[in-house]
Amino acid sequence: MTAPETLLQVEDLRVSFATEEGVVRAVDGITFTVQAGEVLAIVGESGSGKSVSVMTLMGLTRGQNARFEGKAMFDGRDLIAASDAELRKVRGAAIAMVFQDPMSSLDPVYRIGAQIIEQIRVHEPKVSKAQALDRAVDLMERVGIPRARDRVRSYPHEFSGGMRQRVMIAMALANSPKLLIADEPTTALAVPIQAQILDELRRLRDQTGAGIILVTHDLGVVADIADRIAVMYAGRIVEQGTLEDLFYDPQHPYTWGLLGSITRVDRNRAGKLPAIPGQPPSLLAPPEGCHFRPRCPHAFDRCTELPELVSRLPEAPEHPDRCWLEPERKRTLRQVGDQIGLATGETVIS
Amino acid sequence: MSNAAPTIEQPPPRDGSPLLDVEHVRVLFPVKSGTLIDRKVGAVHAVDDVSLQLREGETLGIVGESGCGKTTLIRTIARLIDATSGAIHFRGQDITKAGRRELQPVRREVQMVFQDPQASLNPRKRVGQILTTPLRLRKIPRDRLESESRQLLTRVGLHPEHLNRYPHEFSGGQRQRIGVARALALDPRLILLDEPVSALDVSIQAQVINLLDELQDALQLSYIFVAHDLSVVRHVSDRIAVMYLGKLMEISPAEALYTKPIHPYTSALLAAIPIPDPHENRSRTRPLVSGEPPNPIHPPSGCRFHTRCPRATEVCRTVEPQLTEYSGGHLAACHHPQHVSAQEIERATRSPASPLTAGDQAPAG
Ligand SMILES: Nc1ncnc2c1ncn2[C@@H]1O[C@H](COP(=O)(O)OP(=O)(O)O)[C@@H](O)[C@H]1O
Ligand SMILES: Nc1ncnc2c1ncn2[C@@H]1O[C@H](COP(=O)(O)OP(=O)(O)O)[C@@H](O)[C@H]1O
Ligand code: SF4
Ligand code: SF4
Ligand SMILES: [Mg+2]
Ligand SMILES: [Mg+2]
């Protein structure tokens, strides 16, 4: 096997928005890479900065009130510094995106086929309409849309939510992207349809070797499809590692809390669920030091300083986290297995 | 059902008689076409002959893909929608056609909590006002309204000082707590929870689930808990009902549904949920169902699931399966049940909850 090719390298990316109430630090220094052929899952609660992070890579958060710092290298080009014109060329071609709500990216007044053909021809003007039509049908079949030859003539509203999401994936595939960004692609779908869409994403990765960034809040989805995981909390990555690392040797108390509070279909978890107390901080005035401090049952003096995202595990240099606790201490604090999670299950609201 | 006139005092039901009894309830929504002349062209079979009971203090989970009729069913129980046919009894009283006056005490005892706390709270009212409206209905004296409201907020884990805030000043999880406090203000016996945690983050979901659990114990509440997947309901339910296209597919004590799903649709729902544990997730075999639920205006003949079911045979396409009662109070509507032995099938009986249009064929393995 050859060494994996690094597709994307994000370094200390920061995004803030000036608002009437003050500056929102939506993304506060995140660093990660995506390799060809892998699925990187970004997980975290709503408002933690997942969407802003990935939309920024596509230039979709650019606006009067937005400020950016850091780099995102893709194909020898810094996506953060790139001009709008350069980004337009990359967007939809080398990097494609699938959103939670397909209707937000489909035009209701054009037929599905016409929209896929347009997508192909914008980036490959030499392709004839007839050729593009054949490719559109082929793409629709690939993502599991039955009777594709007839259904190219349908309008978006004639499709169910699941079928629209397949159309979005077909469009994303139209120009053979190297990197696919999927932001909560299955959140709005019924569970059986969600499983079908995840299957399509897996097939896409295996057949084309594309890298995928999957944004989700669902740890079941993560366990099902991710190779690596970045856990975000209040604008920062608090832990990063392989699927094994995160599920079976989690280092950050927030990750413990997430794993602990989920209900499982395969387990009868009688009694109280170990909920994370409180709620995420406002990004206008986040707490000093570790952002998780006000909710963390293990916080101590040092936590008012910001811990770096570094590995504290000699045996796992690729498994960094942002927590001051010594690894030994963590092992005694955290309960592993079915009981994984925070030791206390109190419900405190402030 | 007893024909005794409803008593004014509403005594607790005798042992064994359910708090809620839903019998063969159907709700059809007419579909009209034409702009000048309203022409009825068909109907959405939102709830199509569903029967179920709820005992005092019990939690019944209701699960199924979106559009299968869960919300319509509980709104019908709350009498926010009229049943097209069938009957609903609450504490033995037939409330199916009860008028405003008769309904008043029932309205108080049966409360709803909605999926979207944002949309269900009036944005222009302070929390205090949101809570005092139902308290007044309960004839709480003026001078006690504020202290009662404060107590309610404390009860659901919010600060009593937040009485003067507006809904938008709270997070999603806190708004759902306000929704629960509003339901509690009427001192209900039964709370119908329509996907109460679906819109919340997992860590907040756990908080709200724990709260509902505590309240149930403290106040002896009964719940119907609607969810779109089978993981949350496992944690909260005593029994679980699985719906598909307006019909009941399976209903059983909670544990048995997971360890011994009899209906192929239940298995499909279970298989579709990824387990948040990579090793265990990988070691499962997961037969996924293909396709999507058909149009509820023209539901499939026979068993509604036959267009997607891996076990379907000819009889499934033509005969609607009866609800068969297996041992342990486990009911399933399927011609080819799974996880039951020949003897269990032999001993099983046709449930009176079977749809009126169901055939009388006994299931065959
Ligand atoms: N254009 C914007 N102006 C101001 N604040 C924004 C803007 N876009 C996003 N935010 C804020 O940034 C934070 C992170 O949002 P987002 O990335 O959407 O979270 P997630 O996807 O993790 O739920 C939120 O607090 C959100 O309100
Ligand atoms: N007021 C209404 N008029 C017409 N159709 C409706 C109405 N309410 C719900 N429906 C339809 O009834 C079916 C069941 O809907 P619902 O009870 O909301 O399902 P669920 O809560 O399981 O998602 C769906 O096909 C829905 O479109
Ligand atoms: S740094 Fe401190 S507050 Fe933050 S997670 Fe670690 S122990 Fe908790
Ligand atoms: S009755 Fe037939 S089609 Fe319906 S669930 Fe059972 S086996 Fe499948
Ligand atoms: Mg988002
Ligand atoms: Mg609903």
Side-chain angles (χ1 to χ4, degrees), chain A residues 252-253 290 292-293 296 298-300 303 307 322-325:
Chain A
H252 198 281
C290 171
F292 190 53
R293 187 165 47 91
C296 181
H298 313 300
F300 60 110
C303 306
R322 271 192 200 269
C323 174
W324 286 121
L325 294 168

Side-chain angles (χ1 to χ4, degrees), chain B residues 70-71 115 194-195:
Chain B
K70 306 179 297 293
T71 297
Q115 170 173 4
D194 194 2
E195 308 214 25

Side-chain angles (χ1 to χ4, degrees), chain B residues 263-265 303-306 309-313 316 321 333-336:
Chain B
H263 200 285
Y265 181 58
C303 170
R304 294 219 165 152
F305 188 51
H306 86 244
C309 181
R311 291 167 78 89
T313 61
C316 307
C334 174
H335 291 301
H336 307 303

Side-chain angles (χ1 to χ4, degrees), chain A residues 132-208:
Chain A
L133 173 65
D134 284 343
R135 254 169 74 181
V137 171
D138 185 48
L139 284 164
M140 285 168 69
E141 276 167 358
R142 253 170 74 194
V143 299
I145 298 175
R147 295 185 293 109
R149 182 66 64 182
D150 302 327
R151 295 179 86 173
V152 286
R153 300 188 53 79
S154 304
Y155 289 95
H157 73 263
E158 299 174 69
F159 275 42
S160 68
M163 282 297 158
R164 280 182 213 138
Q165 201 54 294
R166 287 175 202 268
V167 171
M168 287 310 301
I169 297 178
M171 283 173 76
L173 298 185
N175 304 89
S176 313
K178 287 185 169 170
L179 177 65
L180 177 73
I181 298 175
D183 190 352
E184 309 258 8
T186 62
T187 303
L189 305 176
V191 182
I193 315 298
Q194 173 176 325
Q196 296 167 11
I197 297 287
L198 289 180
D199 256 2
E200 297 303 340
L201 290 179
R202 226 184 323 256
R203 188 166 318 137
L204 159 70
R205 171 196 57 188
D206 297 344
Q207 288 178 355
T208 70

